[in-house]
Amino acid sequence: MTSSRRREPASWAPEPLDDPAEGPKPGGNGNELEITHTDCRACGAAVSGLNGRYACGVCGWVNAWSEGHSALPTAADDPDAAVQNQPPGQG
């Protein structure tokens, strides 16, 4: 005969991937990522972007990269880059 004892459930719980209380994650160059909002300069539609860089999905307008609120990260800051520490022009 087999035992009629019930198995107890596992006593572990999965760990959360991110703690929402930590706030925004820093960019590769130490700047905080922030969703910003404005009106499209060409058609007036409401647009959202990251750190002051926008692209309008209605008319295609984009603002210049230099108008952003912070410096852009470099390729060396990209943790997902296929090749690291490669001389300029080699990748």
Side-chain angles (χ1 to χ4, degrees):
M1 277 193 138
T2 60
S3 173
S4 61
R5 271 182 69 185
R6 292 181 67 171
R7 284 187 163 212
E8 294 295 320
S11 62
W12 62 272
E15 294 181 22
L17 296 177
D18 292 315
D19 182 5
E22 289 178 8
K25 302 291 183 221
N29 58 2
N31 294 318
E32 297 294 323
L33 297 178
E34 179 184 6
I35 296 176
T36 52
H37 309 279
T38 192
D39 292 330
C40 174
R41 293 182 196 157
C43 72
V47 292
S48 298
L50 284 175
N51 293 352
R53 292 181 175 86
Y54 306 103
C56 179
V58 176
C59 70
W61 168 83
V62 295
N63 68 329
W65 65 269
S66 60
E67 294 177 14
H69 301 162
S70 59
L72 290 170
T74 65
D77 297 325
D78 184 359
D80 297 325
V83 179
Q84 295 286 332
N85 301 323
Q86 194 169 24
Q90 301 294 314

